């Protein structure tokens, strides 16, 4: 009966009577290997998922998940204007998983102070959620000529909150100068964009460009679920594809954040391969330790095996006893591995105790996310692989001859 086998395995595992002291260090090593393996796999998933989510959110904060721009655009931020009606904005904002559809206008230029100058892109928007979460000083701009400056630009140009700064914009025929007031400082840790964007209300850039109402550089569409990106992008495409100019050319071009940042997302995709490699290695390490532990348990219980065989127990019955005993060892290792892994991930999630170089990794600390679906699947996979691995060493039991064991005693 399986119940009897489990009961025997439990008594063998938890009983301290007759314990062979020489075997305990080896079993502890096997247990420690299981704990470390599970802990490393959990931390790997939490960190990689957190890293990808954080970097993606920052990229989307500057450029949205989906953009609708002019079909004639080049790769610069000096975009061709497009006409976007209120009805089209309403349609784009009504799709499932769309948080907002917000128009924007960009204009490249240069900031200049008495001692320094820096190239930048002036971006006009009326959607402030992302920058409101990353503002470190001051407030969100609310009036024309007010701007939100990044910490990187502030330090490079030696400016302070409340200062005025001159900006110059070059057109084909002239150079236009504007004076802006710094009302807020933001910092996302994404140096590539922090050193580039100067943020202001939409109307400020519209006046600078001299564009009419409903004329923009494009429309930014933000989603609440990145897994729906391709689906929503297809819907946006079909909602705009029939818009043609007088010559019969498409007016709008739909691009996702992967289209805008192919190098960054190719790098992020490589992290998935790292996760697979680490999980395979840790499963092999954990499996090796569990096999070692089971062999030790079998060798320690060789007298018990001989006695059970002499009493009429078959190999299958005895194998299950030792597999159940090893399963208790696996369960203990997985339990402590989960406690330590999730505990360290929680400490990092709230404490940010492990820093990173933001200029290299786009974030100033190791980000963590609890992907519960992946973590549950990882535990199921670890348990299944570990139990399957136990089948091979348990066959040693069939080679034990009860007569030889009892004669040896």
């Amino acid at each position: 009966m399986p119940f009897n086998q489990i009961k025997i395995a439990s008594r063998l595992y938890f009983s301290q009577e007759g314990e062979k002291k020489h075997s305990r260090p080896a079993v502890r090593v096997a247990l420690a290997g299981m704990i470390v393996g599970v802990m490393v796999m959990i931390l790997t998933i939490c960190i990689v998922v957190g890293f990808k989510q954080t970097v993606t959110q920052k990229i989307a904060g500057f450029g949205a998940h989906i953009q609708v721009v002019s079909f004639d655009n080049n790769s610069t931020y000096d975009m061709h204007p497009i006409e976007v009606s209120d009805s089209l904005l309403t349609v784009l904002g009504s799709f499932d998983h769309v948080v907002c559809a917000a128009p924007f206008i960009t204009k490249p230029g240069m900031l200049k102070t008495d001692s320094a100058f820096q190239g930048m892109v002036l971006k006009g928007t009326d959607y402030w959620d992302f920058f409101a979460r990353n503002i470190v000083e001051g407030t969100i701009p609310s009036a024309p000529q007010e701007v939100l400056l990044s910490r990187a630009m502030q330090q490079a140009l030696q400016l302070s909150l409340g200062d005025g700064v001159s900006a110059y914009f070059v057109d084909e025929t002239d150079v236009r100068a504007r004076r802006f007031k710094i009302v807020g400082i933001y910092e996302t840790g994404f140096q590539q964009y922090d050193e580039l964007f100067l943020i202001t209300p939409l109307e400020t850039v519209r006046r600078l460009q001299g564009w009419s109402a409903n004329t923009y550089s494009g429309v930014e569409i933000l989603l609440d679920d990145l897994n729906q990106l391709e689906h929503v992008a297809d819907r946006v495409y079909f909602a705009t594809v029939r818009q043609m100019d007088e010559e019969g050319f498409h007016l709008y071009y739909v691009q996702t954040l992967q289209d805008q940042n192919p190098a960054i997302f190719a790098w992020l995709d490589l992290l998935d391969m790292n996760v697979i490699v680490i999980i395979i290695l840790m499963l092999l390490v954990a499996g090796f330790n569990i096999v070692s532990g089971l062999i030790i348990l079998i060798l320690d219980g060789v007298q018990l095996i001989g006695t059970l065989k002499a009493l009429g127990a078959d190999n299958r019955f005895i194998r299950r006893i030792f597999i159940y005993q090893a399963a208790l060892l696996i369960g203990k290792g997985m339990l402590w591995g989960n406690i330590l892994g999730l505990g360290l991930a929680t400490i990092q999630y709230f404490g940010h105790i492990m820093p990173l170089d933001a200029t290299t990794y786009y974030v100033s600390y190791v980000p963590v996310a609890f992907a519960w679906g992946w973590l549950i699947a990882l535990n199921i996979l670890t348990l299944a692989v570990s139990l399957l691995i136990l089948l091979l060493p348990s066959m040693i039991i069939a080679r034990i001859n009860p007569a030889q064991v009892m004669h040896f005693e």
Side-chain angles (χ1 to χ4, degrees), residues 218-239:
V219 178
E220 296 179 329
I221 301 173
L222 290 163
L223 310 181
D224 59 11
D225 184 358
L226 192 60
N227 294 324
Q228 301 297 323
L229 179 63
E230 295 301 326
H231 172 68
V232 177
D234 287 342
R235 297 195 65 184
V236 172
Y237 170 78
F238 286 113

Side-chain angles (χ1 to χ4, degrees), residues 149-169:
L149 188 74
S150 72
R151 179 71 79 189
M153 286 187 183
Q154 178 202 14
Q155 294 173 350
L157 299 175
Q158 299 180 353
L159 295 169
S160 301
L161 193 67
D163 287 351
V165 61
S166 297
Y168 298 89
F169 303 90

Side-chain angles (χ1 to χ4, degrees), residues 67-116:
Q67 281 190 355
V68 179
V69 295
S70 171
F71 200 84
D72 295 328
N73 267 341
N74 50 32
S75 300
T76 70
Y77 289 98
D78 196 6
M79 299 181 176
H80 293 282
I82 57 174
E83 295 283 340
V84 181
S85 64
D86 292 339
S87 59
L88 180 58
L89 284 175
T90 301
V91 169
L92 297 178
S94 66
F95 294 147
D96 292 339
H97 302 290
V98 171
V99 175
C100 79
F104 71 96
I105 305 175
T106 57
K107 180 67 177 176
M110 181 180 67
L111 294 178
K112 187 179 184 305
T113 64
D114 294 337
S115 59

Side-chain angles (χ1 to χ4, degrees), residues 281-307:
L281 290 176
M282 290 300 101
L283 285 175
L284 290 175
V285 171
F288 174 80
N289 282 283
I290 291 303
V291 167
S292 301
L294 179 59
I295 291 175
I296 292 168
L297 292 174
I298 292 173
L299 294 178
D300 281 348
V302 66
Q303 291 86 2
L304 173 64
I305 295 171
T307 303

